[in-house]
Structures are given as C-alpha cells and as structure tokens.
Amino acid sequence: MRFDMKSFLDSGIRPYEQPLSEDFSGAGFTGFSVPAPATGSFYAALAPEGIAMRLTLQATIEAECARCLAPITQSYHFTREYLVTPTDLEDPDFELPLAGGGCLDVSELAYQELIFEVPPVLLCSPDCLGLCPICGKGKAAGCSCQPADVAAPADARLGILKQLLS
C-alpha cells in the first residue's frame, strides 16, 4: 500500500484512514516467521507542521526458543506515530521508506516496525533453563546429568599454560 504524502499535503482536508492486512509469510525475518497476515490500520491527518500519521499493527510470530529450542508463538500489538513536515520529503536522509514522488510505502513501514518490535532473542519463558550441554535434554524436563561428574576433555592448545602454572 502506498500513501501519497505530497498530494495529501496539497489537498488533504479530511483525515485518511485505511485498514491494513500485510502478508509477511514469505518475508526473510531473522529468527522468526509470520505465518498469518499482520493486521492493523494506517491513519493520516493534516497538522500545523505537516502530516501526523499513526500506524497500528498486530502480528503473531512463530519461532524457536533461543535456549531450549521449544516452539513458541507470540503476539505483538503496537502503535507508532510520526510527524512528517514538507521539508522532510525533500531530505535525502528521510527515515521513512519512500517509493518515489513523495509516496510512503506503508507495507515496507509495517515490515520495518515489526522487525524493531520483535526482540532479537526470543525465549519460551524468561526463566528458561535451556538444554543440558552433556545429554542435550531440556534442563526443565528433568536432566539428571551432574556436570561435576563428567570431566571435560582438555584442550591440547592450552597445555602450555598448564606447564607455565606448574
């Protein structure tokens, strides 16, 4: 979806509101996927300084826990607000995704905001114990390994340090 900000500045007497439904199932997110379309709305109105915009988005993601690799599903619902002035549209370093001619790419904006909303490390719970480094079972599932009972193999490259410490 594209929103022509230049035309809206010239003739946008009434507020603009459009529902969103974005299919991000094929998007290349790192560490998670979005199996169902993200929904929300896009709103714009004239303000004394320019255009006041609001993006509301709700998405459900699927991923694996970073510690125990259990599948997780989490929902995110957020709102972002922006104020765009006429001089912003002429700025080559403008931060919002423009598609040429002063048109805002709302789909790309929703994609970028979702990336910023989802944390880089996803956990099934804040107190997840992870996997046992010895047997590979989940520690919360009742791993009975005793790390002190298992001697770690010595790294041959550190042998010189052992000689120096002796």
Side-chain angles (χ1 to χ4, degrees):
M1 177 180 123
R2 301 196 191 282
F3 174 66
D4 190 346
M5 292 191 289
K6 284 189 176 185
S7 295
F8 188 77
L9 278 170
D10 294 337
S11 63
I13 297 170
R14 293 185 313 195
Y16 173 85
E17 187 161 13
Q18 185 70 37
L20 285 176
S21 181
E22 298 294 335
D23 182 13
F24 294 130
S25 60
F29 294 108
T30 303
F32 67 94
S33 63
V34 183
T39 59
S41 65
F42 176 76
Y43 174 83
L46 285 179
E49 303 86 17
I51 305 172
M53 300 183 299
R54 181 178 61 240
L55 172 72
T56 302
L57 196 66
Q58 181 169 345
T60 300
I61 65 149
E62 292 180 348
E64 288 183 339
C65 176
R67 291 185 187 154
C68 70
L69 304 179
I72 55 176
T73 301
Q74 294 180 347
S75 293
Y76 293 89
H77 182 86
F78 57 92
T79 300
R80 299 288 188 268
E81 295 183 351
Y82 314 92
L83 179 64
V84 178
T85 64
T87 57
D88 289 336
L89 297 176
E90 307 302 325
D91 185 0
D93 296 327
F94 185 55
E95 294 181 2
L96 298 180
L98 293 180
C103 288
L104 175 68
D105 188 343
V106 179
S107 300
E108 179 65 21
L109 180 63
Y111 173 81
Q112 290 177 5
E113 292 296 349
L114 184 58
I115 289 174
F116 291 135
E117 184 68 19
V118 177
V121 177
L122 294 162
L123 301 175
C124 59
S125 68
D127 57 345
C128 177
L129 298 174
L131 299 174
C132 173
I134 298 166
C135 70
K137 292 183 182 176
K139 290 181 181 179
C143 168
S144 60
C145 296
Q146 298 295 326
D149 294 343
V150 180
D155 188 344
R157 294 173 294 177
L158 299 176
I160 189 71
L161 292 176
K162 187 175 183 178
Q163 290 175 355
L164 290 173
L165 294 173
S166 302

